Amino acid sequence: MQFNDPQLFINRELSWLAFNERVLDDARDRELPLYERLKFFAIASSNLDEFFMVRVAGLKQQLASGVAETAADGMLPAEQLSAISERVHRLVDSASRLWVEELQPGLTAAGVSVLTRDKLTAEQKAAARTWFTTSVFPALTPLAVDPGHPFPHLRNKSLNVAVLLRREGPKRRRNARSSSLAVVQVPSVLRQLVPMPVDKGLAFLLLGEVIALCAADLFPGYVVEHTTAFRVTRNWDLNVDDEESEDLLSTIQDELRRRDRGAAVRLELDASASPQIESLLTAALKLGPMDVYRQQAPLQPSDLMGLLDVEPRPELRVEPFVPAVPPVLRDVESLFGVVAERDILLHHPYESFDPVVRLLEEAAEDPDVLAIKQTLYRTSGDSPIARALSRAVENGKQVAVLVEIKARLDEANNIAWARKMEESGVHVVYGLIGLKTHAKVVLVVRREGNGIRRYVHLGTGNYNPHTARLYTDLSLFTSREEIADDVSALFNMLTGYAVAPQWKRLAVAPMGLQERVLSLIQREAEKARRGEPARIVAKMNSLVDATVIRALYAASQAGVDIDLLVRGICCLRPGGPGVSERIRVTSVVDRFLEHSRVFAFGAGANPEVWMSSADWMPRNFLRRVEVMFPVEDPAIRQRLLDEVLGVALADNVKARRLQVDGSYVPVGRNGHQVRSQSVLMERAKRNSHQDPKPLEALRHATAPDAPTPSRQVPQTSG
């Protein structure tokens, strides 16, 4: 069976929107502290921004270019855009109701009022006008829209106030339009939450509301008929041809400057906006009715996160979590001595990212370190890793860094770090033509005794100390010779002229990673056909690749028991009669963003376990340099099966199960409640990974409709 029926596949874009609905579900969760709910509310909005900037923009470009190519689900670009608009309108309406009915009243009940200009007291109106006059008015530039003043090119995601005006008095020209449009951009550099006087607690008015309230001051001689906030989202993707570019860095810098001139793809309007303003704005932005999204909530929910800085009450937020340092790395003089003896696994953010930074800082100062090589896809603005690499050059080390300057939405940050490191003497390269380098790899070459030892760090996440406290990811430190050989060959390929070798232990995209994944799936299918136990457990962010999905369908038909932990997009349709009955897909959305990729193949006492920087998507297999690496230490392998896969599969609080119709339903809370991230935080607090009954407690806490962890994750003897 070829599994070519489009009905067997869920559309990628609609699956992503289902994920964002699950994010919004956490904003609905009344068991969470109020500010945690507000955080998820803002994240869902921010996610939609990127979705429109990249995915919707891409579909609009396909439609304009007449591209009729379809994915495995068979939907054409026009069909996808229509379905997206319908789904997003429902999502925005739901978010608006959540704000009006729960979040805004919840803040008020907690003594933190977010006001609107139509409900201000006289005292508050006076305070707002004073703030406007003294702190806002001088920074504003009112922009008329008429034949002599074309509609301004508003920056992507900028918040603006549209003002409908008419000329005062009888001196209006007879043929003049009855109303004129003007636009005022809300300065992002000013404070967005303006404090208002209130008898008790705290009260704020958003800056856009202040400007709308005082708009008449900007247009003397005119009467303000109507004001409304609006926001424009633009195509934000880069258009770069690596092969045609002689200087990739300069080309991308030029593209970044052109970004803000991208075509508009979405118009967000305050729900109270007049039909006339909507008509004028859509005409100016060349958008249609399906591109307009009205909402009662603030158009930039991220502005509300400023409340965390002014309201310190702990009951409104989650308890701070401090990542642990594992005992094996505590109070050691050097990481090199520990890693020389054994492989080390870190599970972030439950365990600190500091040892990863420390590895590079030690390497920079150690006189026996000869060379450091690293890939950088995303890093923090004030990166201790980049500083350590520059320091290493000052100390005479050979340092080569591949900086991926095409990392979407981080291009400017990465260009800045590339420039700084180049100035300090780091050898910076930008990778292979036509490919993004997404692999997370460090190689340290150290002189020891009469020879050389190489130390390797392989990760599932970015070298970013900030996001390492927010994302769940995995770090593996090793000095195994065959892995070091492969990593050395990988860097030679990335920085010089070298044909991809026959990899000893790694699987590398685009030179065979997809083929390795398919062979591992097919191996389990062959076992099942022979009547042997067969099992696949895979954790990733997204599952899109149609070839891999078809292989999973074939494995399910053959009798392989398959559990997929897919946080975000999943185009596989589980539970299909005769096709995917043995496949379960679970998504966990919680305090930390699930980001690690772990794959286990085998139902016996010793399953094969891999970790990777790559999701199972066409872009990861074909258009990126990615690495999948085996876990060879038995204790680490068992820990991954138990802690990363087993605990997540036992979750019956935050887990959602994908249904055959594409919807997600809660797993169910029968029996003891297991919230996987809470379990792992508690383990980290105890700072012990030798739980005497790591699975036994969970075995009794799993929902009845789900297999027990012992079935889900086979235990090993090691």
Side-chain angles (χ1 to χ4, degrees), residues 115-121 124:
L115 307 172
T116 54
R117 66 183 185 275
D118 58 330
K119 294 183 180 179
L120 298 179
T121 66
Q124 289 167 341

Side-chain angles (χ1 to χ4, degrees), residues 10 49 111 126 175 189 241 247 311 321 365 380 401 438 453 482 498 509 614 626 673:
I10 298 171
D49 286 346
N175 296 326
V189 294
D241 186 340
D247 185 342
E311 177 47 85
F321 177 73
E365 301 295 339
S380 56
V401 180
H438 191 250
R453 184 186 288 270
E482 287 193 333
E626 302 273 18
Q673 293 185 13

Side-chain angles (χ1 to χ4, degrees), residues 660-713:
V660 69
D661 65 357
S663 64
Y664 284 79
V665 299
V667 167
R669 297 193 182 188
N670 295 330
H672 295 296
Q673 293 185 13
V674 176
R675 183 176 173 182
S676 55
Q677 292 191 1
S678 295
V679 170
L680 297 175
M681 282 191 283
E682 286 302 315
R683 288 190 181 187
K685 288 177 183 177
R686 294 196 304 270
N687 202 23
S688 169
H689 305 299
Q690 302 299 321
D691 191 336
K693 296 181 180 179
L695 291 178
E696 198 65 33
L698 293 170
R699 195 170 284 129
H700 301 295
T702 309
D705 65 336
T708 62
S710 58
R711 274 191 59 218
Q712 292 174 358
V713 187

Side-chain angles (χ1 to χ4, degrees), residues 1-3 8 518 521-522 524-526 528-529 536 546-560 562 572 578-583:
M1 187 173 180
Q2 298 301 309
F3 307 110
L8 295 176
L518 290 171
I521 295 171
Q522 290 158 1
E524 293 304 301
E526 289 301 320
R529 293 187 186 102
I536 297 172
T547 304
V548 169
I549 290 173
R550 292 186 181 103
L552 290 168
Y553 285 155
S556 173
Q557 273 193 341
V560 181
I562 302 172
L572 179 147
V579 176
S580 54
E581 291 170 312
R582 304 182 69 88
I583 304 177

Side-chain angles (χ1 to χ4, degrees), residues 16 27 55 114 118 121 342 359 520 527 558 567 569 583 716:
W16 184 92
R55 302 303 306 177
V114 179
D118 58 330
T121 66
R342 57 180 289 188
L359 175 74
L520 289 166
K527 287 182 186 177
R567 182 252 298 167
I569 303 166
I583 304 177
T716 66

Side-chain angles (χ1 to χ4, degrees), residues 48-71:
L48 271 181
D49 286 346
E50 185 172 343
F51 178 73
F52 274 89
M53 288 156 54
V54 178
R55 302 303 306 177
V56 173
L59 287 170
K60 282 179 172 284
Q61 284 184 317
Q62 289 181 40
L63 188 62
S65 303
V67 175
E69 183 179 348
T70 64

Side-chain angles (χ1 to χ4, degrees), residues 259-297:
R259 244 182 183 173
D260 273 321
R261 298 196 293 274
V265 295
R266 176 180 59 161
L267 171 63
E268 294 174 278
L269 276 175
D270 187 87
S272 65
S274 71
Q276 185 179 2
I277 279 188
E278 177 180 334
S279 176
L280 290 168
L281 290 176
T282 52
L285 295 166
K286 297 180 176 60
L287 295 174
M290 63 183 277
D291 303 314
V292 180
Y293 297 86
R294 290 171 172 264
Q295 57 194 68
Q296 294 173 281

Side-chain angles (χ1 to χ4, degrees), residues 388-508:
L389 295 169
S390 297
R391 178 66 178 154
V393 172
E394 295 172 5
N395 289 334
K397 323 293 184 190
Q398 294 289 318
V399 181
V401 180
L402 189 146
V403 178
E404 183 46 77
I405 57 174
K406 299 189 296 297
R408 182 173 288 148
L409 306 184
D410 265 345
E411 299 93 343
N413 187 50
N414 286 4
I415 286 173
W417 275 116
R419 292 289 197 202
K420 288 180 182 178
M421 287 191 289
E422 282 181 326
E423 290 169 2
S424 66
V426 174
H427 182 65
V428 177
V429 297
Y430 306 118
L432 302 179
I433 291 175
L435 300 173
K436 284 186 180 180
T437 301
H438 191 250
K440 314 305 192 305
V441 190
V442 170
L443 175 68
V444 177
V445 181
R446 189 170 186 265
R447 180 175 47 227
E448 295 184 5
N450 295 322
I452 296 290
R453 184 186 288 270
R454 291 166 296 178
Y455 294 87
V456 174
H457 173 269
L458 294 158
T460 67
N462 296 302
Y463 290 108
N464 186 327
H466 174 67
T467 56
R469 299 176 71 93
L470 305 174
Y471 297 0
T472 72
D473 268 309
L474 295 158
S475 284
L476 180 69
F477 299 88
T478 185
S479 60
R480 292 178 184 267
E481 195 68 22
E482 287 193 333
I483 288 181
D485 286 344
D486 278 355
V487 171
S488 292
L490 174 66
F491 276 109
N492 288 343
M493 184 183 72
L494 292 174
T495 63
Y497 292 113
V499 176
Q502 290 293 318
W503 307 104
K504 297 177 181 179
R505 303 300 295 140
L506 302 183
V508 179

